Amino acid sequence: MSNTNGNGLPKIGFYVCHCGHNIASMVDVEEVQKFASTLPGVKISRDYKYMCSDPGQELIQKDIKELGLNRIVVASCSPLLHEHTFRVAAEKAGLNPYYFHMVNIRENVSWVHTDKSSATQKAKALTRAAIQRVFFHKPLEKKSVPVNPDVLIVGGGIAGITAALTIANAGKHVYLVEREPTIGGHMAMFDKTFPTLDCAACILTPKMSAVKSHPNITMWTYSEVEKVSGFVGNYKVNIKRKPRYVIEELCVGCMECIDACIYKEAKYPDEFNQKLSKRKPIYIPFPQATPQVVLFDPETCIDFKSHRCKKTCIEACDREAIDLKQVPEYKEINVGTVILTTGFKPYDAELSPQYGYGKYPNVYTSLEIERLVNASGPTSGEVVTKDGNKPKSVGIIHCVGSRDQKAHKWCSKVCCMYSLKLAHLIKEHTGAEVYNFYIDMRTPGKGYDEFYEKIMTEGVHFVRGRVSEVTDWALVPEEENKLTIRVEDTLIGVVRRVPVDMVVLAVGLEPRADAGDIRRMFNISCSNEGWFLERHPKLAPVSTFTDGIFIAGGCQGPKDIPDSVAQAGAAAAEVLSLICAGSIELEPNTASIIEKFCSGCKSCIPICPYSAISFNDGTQKAVINEALCKGCGTCVAACPSGSIIQNLFEDEQIFSEIDGLLKFADIELEEMEAEHA
Amino acid sequence: MKYIYYPGCSLKSTGKLYEESLLAVFDALDIKYEELNDWNCCGATAYMAVDEKKAFVLAARNIALAEEQLKDEAEVNIVAPCSACYMILLKTQKFLEENPEDMAVIKAALKESGLDYKAKAKIRHPLDVFLNDIGEQEIAKRITKPLKGIRVASYYGCQTVRPYSTFDDQRNPVTMDRLFKAAGAEIVDWSMKTRCCGASLTGTIQEVALPLSYIILHEAKKRRADVVTTACSLCQFNLECYQTNIDKKFKTDTKIDVIYFTQLLGLALGLEPKKLGINRLFAQPENLFRIIEGGKPVYV
Amino acid sequence: MDKKSVFAESFALDNAAKDIVEIRRRIKYESELDKGFRDKIAKSAHGEKLYGCIQCGTCSAACPVSHYMDYTPRKIIQMVREGFKEEVLTSSTVWLCASCYACSVECPKGIKITDVMYALKRESILGNYYPKKSPASILANNFFNQVLNNGRNSEGPLLIKMYLKTNPFMLFKNMALGFKLWVRGRISLKTEKIKDKKSLKRLLQSVEDKSNYKAKVHSPALKEASAV
């Protein structure tokens, strides 16, 4: 152990943290401290109640100065939380921060074990391994890279719109990419918003127009991200713009082509109206669609199917905006940061067959009712059953797909509130008796519980019980030709059969079906449920584990409009903070090639997940771009000639660490044998 | 492949006609089977109410016996036509798999009786065998008297698909519908398929049980069904034999043929009504005979 | 007196009050509850999830006979959790359960309610709580003994025994039906038996010894019930 690594013989300072009772209740901290003091190279060994506190850090700094320490090991919590803290502390005392190493004896030891003596043994073993490891640590320098000030936002719902406007108003350029032909997302489909009952379109459409006309926003609708490469501050993104068969710059949205279509009647299910109405093969999703540009559906347009249409649409367009030969357009952009606002998907009500959705025509989902009550919806705002009559009684079933082990375990958070809103709107439109069947009413939020009270006083029925089934068989005459809801009124303790004309299923929110693909493309994580995972549930709610990628809105978990907007603002602030800093420091744990050993076999090149390795034809050796390297170690393990080394994970550091662990195992074995003897 | 046939108690008494029709259909479809030697009662619902571990050992003994009897076969398939037997055997396997301690007790006890419980046998319902081992197409090929114009309301009862079986949907099972569609019948769309008929209470608390049967029969008539087909001996007995009592109680006419699905399938396969135990029904399904060409009513 | 709280007694209504309208006093004191009851039931097969019940009532709504029960299945779960042992074990709910498993399939929390009901049936028999004239509990007991002794169940003798013990009038009422079945060879008065009765009995005894639990079959309640 004569390696001096640039700053003399190792003089190690070891510090073990109690973390209040978090560690000390399961690990004999004093024993660990005493044990460390006996190890070679250890100059000082201490234990302290909170190492991360200011006095704890000062302890280390004082020792570095007074005792001339040149290696620091702290045994405490996860490096994710405090590695940065201690590195900074060491640096302030004049030590290169990479002479510091952290042992996690909280998440890896005290929190996961139940036997104190074994936990202490494990903590000692990890301590010995870390102390042996720092012998071989070297000083490293961080590299800094500039941040491209352009921003990509994926998803043009209310969260994406808010973030885009905030960033664009700060003078930065935003690319807003939306998959659908219009921005607006789910909010554009809603009629009113709770608890204020203001019209969703009235508050949303001004923002949509602002996005369209903002000089700092490039809005690409009907487009999808195909590929992402690079790293924080310097992402390269490939985007596919799907053909609308209409030249966006020429179309003014006069819709004369739609009138001229040879289909005189609309024939195909209108997606925006939840398939409750019909549209033509050439259409605009809804009156305030942004951009106001028509598009063709090649699945249903005769000309795409048979090439034998009279093309009356083309004749009708005097701006010559229709181009039936349009092909996808591919864009490549460079951005420094990304915000994902890809939203959610409503639960598929057919997966809960006991409620009869898809079987009985008068069973609707909540989103369908939103369209039904909307003036621009399929019935121009008339709430009617499929046979055209106003319902006399309507049952709203809460928690469809939520709080259910067979569907989703989570509470979807917004359904209680939107059910109250729909109850109000349905009663207002039809005067029907409206029943809410709920498990628990969840109305926390500003003005929310007051809204609940308002709806109660309007005379809406509230029956506490989860509906077991919706059926069409009648037991008594009043149930003939009705849908019967069977439920236990749990507050009374009696089973009831409630016949209604219309059933509304308050479907929950779930991750989009392709959330997994997006996750992989942007190299972020998902929770078990499939929501995009935030870096920290409380303290970093819009950050991800990949630097420079942020999340906001329904893609992160169920939330209502105010929460989505708040998150979008937070994500915009995070992005602006990076852009304003101008540059960011990269961790120096990158890999590099020892040229003289490299045989030029190229096996490292295809396996690098960050495309950081290239081949130098002149020298016939591999070259690693340090700015692209994320320090994953894949190439290091794969190199057949052992010619790739990685900072902070050099062979001798790792082997010495393992040796430390194994030595401990040897001691344990000896002790056991001695006991048996 | 050879199957072990585990009849259970009721297929030897009230469900005699289920056994007769099932085995006749097995023969007609060239399904090879052996009856389980010296089988015992599965324990059914009543045993579970008194002593759980003993209920499990009763079921496990049968599985062990089957594994012994077919020890030379690559895999052991036990066909349990009675839905209570079927459910209990599945439940036992599942429970013991999840509770190794109980598994050890049961295994050891069986060992003392010279039996080795390997827990490997597959528990199969005849519907599962017909649809997944034989297949609709193969069955359709053998139909000689298509059920043309017959409206079939398939009725599974509670324990056939609930709660452990995986061969069909627990809320809206369709295997019987597929089977009879293949046989040329019209399928009645109704929501009674798995609604309890109350059979386990008819013997004990009849006031509660009769309305349950009434709801099912009433709905079948309302949906213009010609026949209700069942897969459970308690359901068949309950829905057929109490029709007079029900009509008296509810002052209605619920007269409808309630027969085993194997009986209807057998008729479509052209088998002799007598071989299918049709003669053991309370009322002859004359409606069906009239429609199935060539079939003649058989009276007791 | 030992179970009833002293307070409860002192607050009892006098007859005068009872005569005016039918008044029932309903209050439960903590001392009257059986705190260990829920753990016992939860430990029984598949009962472990009952702590997670959210009282949504799906079980009661799915149950085809819940409207005849004195407590709906949802209430029973809550009463088990809170230790209302006596009320639960003497309730009609437990014996009305037809084991159709509709509740278990529909429960959003995956509680195996049917198996909880089985556990309660067992407790009710073991603790001698079951309604003595209830045909459902008698049938379960008779069935149990018949299989114990013969290995198989014989429907004819089983039902006759049950009716004799509970309501002989019912036997008379069902005679015609029985005759119709007999003519068609669908019922017999013969007792079905397996060949290896001895070994089966040994097997059941062995399970009892091995599981080392109190011999439930020898409980006085059961003996009384099965003696004809």
Side-chain angles (χ1 to χ4, degrees):
Chain A
M1 302 236 178
S2 57
N3 197 327
T4 60
N5 283 329
N7 63 350
L9 279 173
K11 286 190 223 162
I12 302 169
F14 175 75
Y15 304 86
V16 54
C17 180
H18 295 236
C19 196
H21 293 300
N22 277 309
I23 294 172
S25 65
M26 192 44 65
V27 172
D28 187 335
V29 172
E30 210 175 308
E31 195 183 323
V32 177
Q33 176 263 320
K34 279 189 189 141
F35 166 75
S37 70
T38 65
L39 297 174
V42 175
K43 183 95 181 166
I44 183 80
S45 173
R46 297 184 193 274
D47 61 282
Y48 192 70
K49 199 145 193 186
Y50 291 106
M51 279 310 299
C52 61
S53 65
D54 280 352
Q57 295 180 45
E58 278 157 18
L59 201 62
I60 300 175
Q61 287 167 332
K62 199 162 150 258
D63 285 350
I64 293 175
K65 283 179 194 148
E66 287 178 3
L67 303 172
L69 299 180
N70 58 16
R71 303 282 195 283
I72 305 293
V73 173
V74 174
S76 58
C77 56
S78 162
L80 264 179
L81 296 167
H82 278 303
E83 191 176 54
H84 182 72
T85 313
F86 294 120
R87 277 186 179 164
V88 170
E91 197 171 17
K92 276 190 184 156
L95 193 65
N96 183 290
Y98 297 94
Y99 281 123
F100 161 81
H101 191 68
M102 197 162 175
V103 190
N104 183 355
I105 59 166
R106 196 178 72 177
E107 284 84 342
N108 287 353
V109 181
S110 68
W111 279 358
V112 290
H113 292 292
T114 49
D115 176 51
K116 190 162 180 175
S117 89
S118 317
T120 306
Q121 293 295 88
K122 184 172 169 186
K124 281 154 79 178
L126 292 171
T127 296
R128 188 189 191 107
I131 286 171
Q132 286 201 193
R133 183 187 218 276
V134 285
F135 266 80
F136 295 96
H137 274 212
K138 291 173 185 164
L140 298 169
E141 292 306 323
K142 277 188 179 175
K143 289 191 182 56
S144 155
V145 293
V147 174
N148 184 325
D150 289 356
V151 185
L152 168 69
I153 296 178
V154 187
I158 184 57
I161 289 173
T162 306
L165 288 173
T166 308
I167 295 165
N169 287 341
K172 308 298 172 196
H173 192 83
V174 175
Y175 295 95
L176 178 61
V177 175
E178 166 60 49
R179 173 191 290 175
E180 299 296 326
T182 171
I183 58 169
H186 281 106
M187 190 179 168
M189 297 175 185
F190 302 158
D191 183 52
K192 298 273 170 22
T193 55
F194 60 76
T196 46
L197 290 177
D198 41 359
C199 146
C202 308
I203 55 175
L204 177 67
T205 50
K207 286 194 175 286
M208 289 163 66
S209 319
V211 166
K212 173 83 177 80
S213 57
H214 205 295
N216 286 336
I217 299 179
T218 303
M219 181 182 86
W220 285 330
T221 53
Y222 216 39
S223 304
E224 281 180 59
V225 175
E226 291 215 307
K227 198 178 154 215
V228 180
S229 58
F231 55 99
V232 53
N234 301 272
Y235 285 108
K236 190 169 87 184
V237 185
N238 295 84
I239 293 154
K240 177 185 177 182
R241 304 208 60 202
K242 293 177 276 187
R244 306 171 92 99
Y245 305 103
V246 171
I247 300 159
E248 207 174 311
E249 294 73 28
L250 295 179
C251 177
V252 289
C254 70
M255 301 197 251
E256 277 173 27
C257 51
I258 301 177
D259 291 336
C261 176
I262 60 155
Y263 279 110
K264 288 294 159 244
E265 294 292 322
K267 225 180 129 182
Y268 301 102
D270 183 337
E271 295 86 354
F272 191 82
N273 275 338
Q274 301 298 303
K275 303 184 178 171
L276 291 173
S277 66
K278 303 274 199 274
R279 60 157 172 79
K280 292 184 179 179
I282 180 166
Y283 66 104
I284 279 189
F286 66 104
Q288 298 102 322
T290 307
Q292 269 287 321
V293 175
V294 294
L295 77 154
F296 279 81
D297 172 11
E299 299 288 310
T300 53
C301 174
I302 290 189
D303 197 59
F304 284 89
K305 287 194 287 190
S306 68
H307 301 290
R308 271 191 294 199
C309 183
K310 283 195 285 183
K311 301 195 181 84
T312 40
C313 52
I314 295 183
E315 284 165 27
C317 183
D318 48 17
R319 295 180 63 86
E320 294 181 2
I322 297 176
D323 172 12
L324 295 177
K325 300 226 156 45
Q326 204 175 49
V327 290
E329 200 184 336
Y330 296 93
K331 300 273 188 188
E332 185 175 299
I333 56 171
N334 293 302
V335 295
T337 46
V338 177
I339 303 178
L340 297 175
T341 50
T342 51
F344 64 90
K345 175 179 162 292
Y347 173 73
D348 178 0
E350 281 192 51
L351 298 178
S352 295
Q354 72 270 33
Y355 297 142
Y357 181 75
K359 187 178 174 195
Y360 307 129
N362 288 322
V363 178
Y364 293 82
T365 68
S366 44
L367 202 52
E368 288 172 344
I369 298 294
E370 293 279 1
R371 295 313 300 150
L372 223 51
V373 293
N374 192 292
S376 68
T379 53
S380 307
E382 290 280 305
V383 178
V384 287
T385 58
K386 289 277 155 65
D387 47 24
N389 297 324
K390 266 192 186 173
K392 289 193 184 66
S393 51
V394 179
I396 303 178
I397 301 178
H398 290 224
C399 298
V400 177
S402 306
R403 304 185 72 191
D404 182 352
Q405 292 194 338
K406 280 178 210 72
H408 300 314
K409 280 187 176 181
W410 59 82
C411 163
S412 292
K413 203 175 172 189
V414 297
C415 324
C416 280
M417 284 304 291
Y418 79 56
S419 296
L420 288 171
K421 174 192 74 180
L422 292 177
H424 167 85
L425 293 175
I426 292 169
K427 209 169 169 62
E428 188 182 67
H429 280 64
T430 63
E433 290 293 319
V434 182
Y435 295 82
N436 271 270
F437 300 98
Y438 66 96
I439 306 175
D440 296 299
M441 284 305 292
R442 294 186 169 174
T443 57
K446 202 172 173 184
Y448 287 14
D449 208 56
E450 293 89 322
F451 186 66
Y452 177 20
E453 196 182 323
K454 171 184 150 66
I455 306 305
M456 277 198 280
T457 52
E458 285 176 2
V460 170
H461 300 266
F462 286 88
V463 177
R464 191 198 173 279
R466 185 174 172 276
V467 173
S468 71
E469 62 175 345
V470 174
T471 57
D472 63 344
W473 60 269
L475 197 60
V476 287
E478 68 191 32
E479 293 170 2
E480 294 289 346
N481 303 316
K482 298 233 179 193
L483 292 167
T484 300
I485 289 170
R486 197 174 147 105
V487 66
E488 179 186 15
D489 190 327
T490 61
L491 297 179
I492 301 169
V494 166
V495 177
R496 293 172 66 175
R497 287 174 63 93
V498 184
V500 294
D501 298 316
M502 183 186 253
V503 172
V504 182
L505 304 181
V507 289
L509 275 48
E510 64 181 29
R512 282 200 181 269
D514 59 354
D517 300 335
I518 309 272
R519 177 194 79 75
R520 272 183 292 277
M521 203 185 314
F522 288 91
N523 193 31
I524 61 168
S525 308
C526 279
S527 64
N528 286 341
E529 298 83 20
W531 303 106
F532 292 159
L533 192 63
E534 62 282 349
R535 188 175 216 141
H536 191 280
K538 287 130 199 156
L539 303 179
V542 297
S543 305
T544 66
F545 286 100
T546 301
D547 293 330
I549 313 274
F550 301 92
I551 49 178
C555 62
Q556 183 259 351
K559 53 180 64 67
D560 58 15
I561 296 168
D563 283 359
S564 296
V565 169
Q567 272 204 340
E574 294 279 1
V575 160
L576 289 172
S577 132
L578 274 177
I579 297 173
C580 293
S583 66
I584 39 161
E585 286 187 323
L586 297 180
E587 277 298 300
N589 61 337
T590 50
S592 55
I593 309 265
I594 310 169
E595 269 208 13
K596 62 178 175 187
F597 297 145
C598 176
S599 65
C601 73
K602 298 185 188 173
S603 49
C604 54
I605 295 171
I607 57 162
C608 175
Y610 306 97
S611 310
I613 313 180
S614 56
F615 193 68
N616 184 330
D617 287 322
T619 59
Q620 290 289 303
K621 310 273 179 192
V623 185
I624 296 176
N625 179 341
E626 278 192 30
L628 293 177
C629 174
K630 298 288 279 180
C632 72
T634 313
C635 58
V636 186
C639 178
S641 60
S643 60
I644 308 183
I645 53 164
Q646 188 187 352
N647 290 338
L648 278 176
F649 293 94
E650 290 180 31
D651 284 358
E652 52 185 2
Q653 293 168 346
I654 293 171
F655 286 138
S656 177
E657 190 175 11
I658 295 171
D659 183 60
L661 267 178
L662 295 181
K663 240 184 222 157
F664 201 88
D666 285 347
I667 297 170
E668 282 236 282
L669 209 65
E670 277 165 26
E671 276 174 7
M672 271 168 60
E673 274 166 6
E675 253 175 54
H676 277 279
Chain B
M1 191 166 72
K2 196 190 270 173
Y3 297 86
I4 282 287
Y5 164 56
Y6 172 64
C9 308
S10 66
L11 267 80
K12 296 290 179 189
S13 60
T14 40
K16 188 90 195 138
L17 51 177
Y18 191 8
E19 177 174 59
E20 286 168 343
S21 56
L22 177 76
L23 299 184
V25 170
F26 271 5
D27 291 340
L29 295 174
D30 301 321
I31 295 172
K32 290 188 189 65
Y33 65 90
E34 271 177 28
E35 183 170 325
L36 183 61
N37 295 330
D38 207 33
W39 54 268
N40 58 268
C41 167
C42 73
T45 48
Y47 220 89
M48 202 60 79
V50 182
D51 190 322
E52 186 174 51
K53 279 215 182 77
K54 287 185 181 167
F56 285 134
V57 82
L58 278 178
R61 178 179 179 266
N62 289 313
I63 300 174
L65 279 174
E67 285 170 341
E68 168 68 22
Q69 195 171 332
L70 280 195
K71 60 173 182 274
D72 298 330
E73 296 271 325
E75 78 179 20
V76 181
N77 282 274
I78 304 175
V79 182
C82 163
S83 47
C85 297
Y86 173 68
M87 193 274 292
I88 292 283
L89 293 185
L90 276 177
K91 182 177 182 161
T92 301
Q93 272 195 335
K94 200 169 143 68
F95 177 83
L96 294 180
E97 201 181 288
E98 285 167 3
N99 298 278
E101 273 174 39
D102 294 297
M103 173 78 108
V105 169
I106 301 269
K107 267 193 153 175
L110 284 164
K111 193 127 237 166
E112 280 171 21
S113 304
L115 286 167
D116 184 13
Y117 176 58
K118 299 189 197 71
K120 284 208 178 108
K122 285 188 184 153
I123 315 300
R124 310 287 302 273
H125 192 272
L127 277 169
D128 179 14
V129 171
F130 292 157
L131 267 299
N132 298 320
D133 293 1
I134 310 295
E136 291 144 285
Q137 276 129 13
E138 184 56 34
I139 289 172
K141 267 190 239 160
R142 302 193 187 207
I143 300 292
T144 56
K145 290 182 180 152
L147 305 174
K148 225 172 153 220
I150 299 183
R151 287 178 57 79
V152 178
S154 62
Y155 178 73
Y156 299 75
C158 35
Q159 298 184 344
T160 307
V161 289
R162 273 199 306 249
Y164 301 107
S165 91
T166 48
F167 75 89
D168 208 337
D169 188 84
Q170 297 192 342
R171 284 163 169 154
N172 182 29
V174 292
T175 41
M176 234 191 272
D177 294 347
R178 281 165 54 194
L179 195 64
F180 290 123
K181 212 173 221 169
E186 245 180 79
I187 308 300
V188 173
D189 178 29
W190 67 333
S191 44
M192 296 290 142
K193 285 175 175 178
T194 59
R195 204 175 195 282
C196 176
C197 72
S200 72
L201 297 171
T202 350
T204 54
I205 313 170
Q206 221 172 66
E207 310 78 70
V208 173
L210 287 188
L212 300 185
S213 303
Y214 161 74
I215 289 171
I216 292 161
L217 294 171
H218 175 76
E219 195 61 16
K221 285 219 104 172
K222 204 169 145 193
R223 308 255 163 185
R224 293 179 295 107
D226 295 313
V227 59
V228 176
T229 56
T230 77
C232 165
S233 27
L234 270 183
C235 297
Q236 195 280 334
F237 168 66
N238 200 39
L239 291 177
E240 187 203 7
C241 306
Y242 282 96
Q243 281 180 9
T244 333
N245 303 40
I246 290 167
D247 287 348
K248 219 158 103 192
K249 189 177 166 92
F250 296 95
K251 299 186 178 61
T252 49
D253 174 23
T254 55
K255 289 270 169 298
I256 187 166
D257 296 322
V258 182
I259 69 176
Y260 288 99
F261 78 101
T262 41
Q263 291 182 306
L264 187 59
L265 182 62
L267 289 173
L269 290 168
L271 304 177
E272 272 289 306
K274 192 152 189 183
K275 274 196 176 156
L276 298 168
I278 298 277
N279 53 325
R280 297 186 195 271
L281 288 167
F282 273 30
Q284 292 305 294
E286 288 174 46
N287 249 339
L288 298 185
F289 294 137
R290 216 169 292 134
I291 302 166
I292 304 168
E293 179 206 10
K296 285 183 195 73
V298 182
Y299 295 97
V300 186
Chain C
M1 267 310 272
D2 55 335
K3 281 210 166 178
K4 294 271 178 287
S5 147
V6 182
F7 287 113
E9 284 302 307
S10 57
F11 282 112
L13 295 159
D14 62 27
N15 285 335
K18 273 183 190 162
D19 288 341
I20 302 166
V21 281
E22 204 186 309
I23 301 175
R24 252 188 305 166
R25 187 168 180 280
R26 273 203 189 146
I27 185 164
K28 199 74 181 174
Y29 295 96
E30 286 302 285
S31 55
E32 298 168 358
L33 300 174
D34 184 334
K35 298 286 183 187
F37 189 50
R38 64 171 185 184
D39 291 336
K40 201 170 178 187
I41 300 303
K43 242 183 229 163
S44 277
H46 309 298
E48 66 283 338
K49 282 189 172 167
L50 76 92
Y51 296 137
C53 172
I54 54 171
Q55 289 288 299
C56 68
T58 310
C59 45
S60 314
C63 176
V65 289
S66 56
H67 44 286
Y68 294 103
M69 295 170 169
D70 41 12
Y71 305 107
T72 59
R74 170 191 61 87
K75 280 189 178 173
I76 289 285
I77 300 284
Q78 177 68 359
M79 289 162 81
V80 168
R81 282 200 301 201
E82 293 305 312
F84 287 60
K85 180 176 169 180
E86 233 181 290
E87 287 87 340
V88 168
L89 294 185
T90 52
S91 73
S92 69
T93 306
V94 172
W95 296 105
L96 275 170
C97 170
S99 311
C100 82
Y101 289 89
C103 49
S104 300
V105 167
E106 296 299 333
C107 176
K109 293 290 158 193
I111 303 169
K112 306 259 187 277
I113 300 150
T114 313
D115 291 300
V116 173
M117 293 295 170
Y118 276 133
L120 294 174
K121 282 175 189 167
R122 291 194 292 273
E123 282 300 314
S124 170
I125 290 178
L126 188 64
N128 207 4
Y129 286 98
Y130 71 98
K132 302 296 174 304
K133 282 275 171 190
S134 154
S137 45
I138 303 289
L139 182 76
N141 274 331
N142 282 347
F143 184 98
F144 179 88
N145 284 298
Q146 200 179 57
V147 175
L148 181 72
N149 293 325
N150 304 316
R152 285 185 196 171
N153 146 37
S154 320
E155 286 160 354
L158 182 70
L159 286 170
I160 292 173
K161 243 186 202 177
M162 181 195 75
Y163 288 136
L164 281 176
K165 247 189 285 177
T166 54
N167 188 353
F169 176 67
M170 281 286 281
L171 181 65
F172 175 73
K173 231 175 115 180
N174 284 316
M175 209 94 100
L177 180 65
F179 180 73
K180 269 172 137 179
L181 286 169
W182 182 74
V183 168
R184 287 164 176 81
R186 288 173 69 173
I187 202 160
S188 127
L189 297 176
K190 211 180 82 200
T191 303
E192 293 287 328
K193 286 174 184 142
I194 65 167
K195 277 183 249 150
D196 205 354
K197 264 168 46 181
K198 255 193 206 152
S199 118
L200 183 75
K201 244 190 166 161
R202 238 191 1 251
L203 179 65
L204 291 168
Q205 185 59 44
S206 153
V207 169
E208 192 170 310
D209 298 344
K210 283 193 175 51
S211 8
N212 197 21
Y213 61 102
K214 262 194 191 160
K216 293 176 188 174
V217 269
H218 300 309
S219 82
L222 222 106
K223 268 199 174 145
E224 182 199 320
S226 53
V228 178

